[in-house]
Amino acid sequence: MEFRVTDRPRSVWTGDALVIGLFEDKVELTGDLAQLDEKLAGTLKESIEELDFKGKAGTSAINRVGGSSPIRKIAIVGLGKAADLKLDTLRQAAGICAKLARKEKCKTLGISFPLWQNDADATAAAIVEGAELALHQDNRFKSEPEDKNAQIQEIELLGFAGSESAIVRARQITAGVILARELVAAPANYVTPITMAETAESLAAECGLELEILEQADCEKLGMGAFLGVAQASDLPPKFIHMTYKPAGTPRRKLAIVGKGLTFDSGGLNIKGAGSGIEMMKVDMGGAAATFGAAKAIGHIKPDVEVHFISAVTENMISGRAMHPGDILTASNGKTIEINNTDAEGRLTLADALVFADKLGLDAIVDLATLTGACVIALGEDIAGLWSPEDSVAAELIAASELAGEKFWRMPMEEKYFEGLKALHADMKNTGPRPGGSITAALFLRQFVKDTGWAHLDIAGPVWTDKENGYNGPGATGFGVRTLVHWALSNA
Ligand code: BES
Ligand code: MN
Ligand code: ZN
């Protein structure tokens, strides 16, 4: 698919389908829209009246244009109230229209949307992201792709001549999101620690990243007892993956992104039971997937900031070698952990990954993880949790997430709850009481970062969606990539 820009007015645009974005408080056919409607023999007016179209965000209508019109279909999409316009409303609207146009077998699509905050580049980027993410289909595991004829070939953005480079960047970001989606969507018999290491190798080659892969013996030498404790029941070798993007000049700041990389989480000997969603636990490398997606995007964008991409990748399995509930593990910072639940494995792998990142002498570390069901209970499936002891890091991430159109809610680092992790014989247990389970998980991770600004993102909810909404779903969302890229860019 191609994106193009044009300053050709919408009243003279030609192609299969033209989409007009309309605000809720301004569904009127005045000025050039009146002209256009006349050309279309009143089809625009008909669409609005027949469907009682009010311009509410997320609503849309598409109609055939009769006669010898230069366009085949005219679509309208609601953008909500003009005063409330958010970048993500445009992203969603572009996604809705793109899917609608594909369903109607349109090959060329023209999009005419108003500007968000007078910012043509940000608006163009949102349209491109929404359309491209909505149209992404994952047919890798189907013997025959569905609907192979109906593909949009060209999307033209009306009124955006001059935003070409914003569009290039948006596509670099969506390529990262799509990589993350495909890594998450592929099941655990396709995405393993070995294939994750292979993916890192090809990413490094594609984007000119430095790559270091620590094998089990290397991790043993570094004393990564927490990570290796989780890995020890798997028949597959663990892989500790570290990619680095270094800009040409001297970077002003150095960052790390650390992703939880469980290619499958059975729960271990505290095995997940019926109704636990165990068959969905291929998503448990969603943090690593977002880390890889961000690496791909940042590797192509090449901002002036150094970024380390880290994941301790393994599976949480059962076997005669599995860690026993009650075992005491020693992490690479010397802290000891009593495993009172083998299903709280993500924090163990992250512990050693965070110690590793902390030793690199960076300005900030962000980890992201499908860490707790408790976070999903707290915030639902659309919102990720954000924990950080530093207001500045939290504020940077919230600002980035707003540009990205990904929702986060800052959660408390309630130190007192650490009491719930007190152990009789070790420095801490790996799980506390059920109430506040996502908070104790964050407090646990905190024990492994000493010298660096840090934030933790729990993405267990938004990593996947069963519903279709806007440019996401059903399926893996690639959640986190866009926020991470904007965060890195804001540090360049
Ligand atoms: N991978 C799960 C968390 C998860 C839940 C991810 C839902 C995606 C969707 C994690 O390893 C886990 O099992 N957490 C336990 C922690 C508990 C044992 C303290 C949980 O949330 O139940
Ligand atoms: Mn688990
Ligand atoms: Zn897990």
Side-chain angles (χ1 to χ4, degrees):
M1 190 177 53
E2 286 303 315
F3 284 95
R4 290 219 231 148
V5 293
T6 176
D7 271 345
R8 213 154 117 214
R10 52 194 176 183
S11 53
V12 298
W13 186 82
T14 58
D16 289 338
L18 175 63
V19 185
I20 312 272
L22 293 171
F23 285 124
E24 194 174 332
D25 30 20
K26 279 208 289 241
V27 184
E28 319 161 333
L29 299 180
T30 52
D32 69 321
L33 284 185
Q35 256 178 310
L36 177 64
D37 193 38
E38 205 172 303
K39 271 202 176 162
L40 305 179
T43 314
L44 204 45
K45 186 156 184 271
E46 259 168 47
S47 302
I48 292 172
E49 281 172 2
E50 268 172 32
L51 290 143
D52 204 14
F53 180 82
K54 295 270 192 298
K56 282 210 183 343
T59 60
S60 62
I62 188 159
N63 245 320
R64 245 189 89 78
V65 185
S68 57
S69 163
I71 59 177
R72 277 207 300 127
K73 311 247 174 179
I74 180 85
I76 44 180
V77 60
L79 300 175
K81 296 220 162 65
D84 304 339
L85 183 65
K86 292 200 169 56
L87 216 39
D88 206 52
T89 311
L90 297 173
R91 212 180 266 112
Q92 302 270 357
I96 291 168
C97 301
K99 279 191 190 163
L100 204 59
R102 179 173 61 195
K103 219 172 111 217
E104 300 282 330
K105 308 215 180 320
C106 298
K107 295 215 158 29
T108 58
L109 175 63
I111 298 186
S112 172
F113 282 0
L115 296 188
W116 171 79
Q117 295 195 357
N118 247 328
D119 186 338
D121 284 355
T123 304
I127 295 171
V128 168
E129 287 173 10
E132 196 152 40
L133 291 175
L135 293 176
H136 166 235
Q137 284 171 317
D138 190 350
N139 290 317
R140 290 172 298 163
F141 306 106
K142 302 219 191 224
S143 57
E144 275 190 47
E146 287 166 13
D147 228 6
K148 56 180 172 234
N149 302 316
Q151 294 302 335
I152 293 180
Q153 282 161 6
E154 189 186 300
I155 297 183
E156 207 164 31
L157 277 63
L158 280 69
F160 290 94
S163 291
E164 288 87 348
S165 57
I167 289 174
V168 169
R169 176 170 290 188
R171 300 196 79 181
Q172 288 164 327
I173 296 175
T174 53
V177 178
I178 287 168
L179 171 65
R181 282 183 179 180
E182 293 192 345
L183 285 170
V184 170
N189 61 330
Y190 284 87
V191 165
T192 68
I194 297 168
T195 71
M196 286 293 279
E198 289 166 358
T199 302
E201 272 167 33
S202 46
L203 262 180
E206 172 189 324
C207 309
L209 310 174
E210 288 176 16
L211 174 65
E212 171 184 32
I213 293 178
L214 305 181
E215 304 294 341
Q216 179 170 331
D218 305 310
C219 297
E220 275 163 13
K221 280 192 203 112
L222 291 172
M224 294 185 174
F227 171 42
L228 294 174
V230 175
Q232 72 196 28
S234 173
D235 285 336
L236 303 172
K239 301 279 179 183
F240 188 101
I241 300 171
H242 174 206
M243 295 177 276
T244 311
Y245 163 73
K246 285 191 176 153
T250 316
R252 191 168 59 83
R253 299 196 80 199
K254 298 183 179 182
L255 311 174
I257 296 169
V258 177
K260 172 175 170 181
L262 267 292
T263 56
F264 187 72
D265 177 13
S266 72
L269 285 175
N270 292 105
I271 194 162
K272 291 180 185 290
S276 63
I278 188 171
E279 73 285 357
M280 281 306 297
M281 281 306 138
K282 64 175 183 179
V283 307
D284 217 16
M285 34 61 73
T291 302
F292 282 25
K296 184 177 173 87
I298 290 167
H300 283 287
I301 295 172
K302 305 205 183 301
D304 201 8
V305 54
E306 182 172 306
V307 191
H308 296 256
F309 305 94
I310 296 165
S311 186
V313 186
T314 186
E315 307 176 298
N316 186 21
M317 297 296 282
I318 51 173
S319 81
R321 280 176 286 121
M323 55 181 176
H324 320 88
D327 280 2
I328 294 178
L329 304 179
T330 306
S332 45
N333 65 348
K335 294 209 176 168
T336 57
I337 306 157
E338 182 183 315
I339 309 304
N340 60 339
N341 192 324
T342 60
D343 198 8
E345 82 300 335
R347 62 196 77 182
L348 299 171
T349 65
L350 286 168
D352 283 324
L354 288 170
V355 170
F356 182 92
D358 195 38
K359 286 185 189 151
L360 296 171
L362 312 175
D363 297 296
I365 303 171
V366 171
D367 78 70
L368 69 167
T370 48
L371 203 60
T372 66
C375 192
V376 188
I377 299 300
L379 298 175
E381 290 190 331
D382 291 347
I383 306 171
L386 184 163
W387 284 260
S388 180
E390 287 94 19
D391 291 347
S392 56
V393 184
E396 282 174 23
L397 285 163
I398 294 287
S401 78
E402 277 162 11
L403 287 174
E406 295 179 319
K407 289 181 184 161
F408 289 85
W409 190 257
R410 189 167 179 191
M411 301 279 278
M413 294 287 306
E414 188 64 37
E415 293 294 340
K416 186 165 181 290
Y417 291 0
F418 193 72
E419 280 167 21
L421 293 173
K422 288 263 157 71
L424 186 57
H425 293 298
D427 296 340
M428 66 194 103
K429 298 186 290 192
N430 71 330
T431 72
R434 244 161 78 89
S438 66
I439 300 176
T440 41
L443 292 170
F444 178 93
L445 297 178
R446 175 91 186 110
Q447 305 306 307
F448 302 91
V449 187
K450 228 174 51 218
D451 302 320
T452 321
W454 165 75
H456 158 59
L457 310 176
D458 193 331
I459 61 166
V463 68
W464 185 271
T465 177
D466 289 327
K467 297 164 291 188
E468 170 170 342
N469 64 55
Y471 49 83
N472 274 325
T477 57
F479 188 93
V481 173
R482 301 199 309 274
T483 297
L484 292 170
V485 174
H486 284 291
W487 176 62
L489 292 175
S490 74
N491 274 287

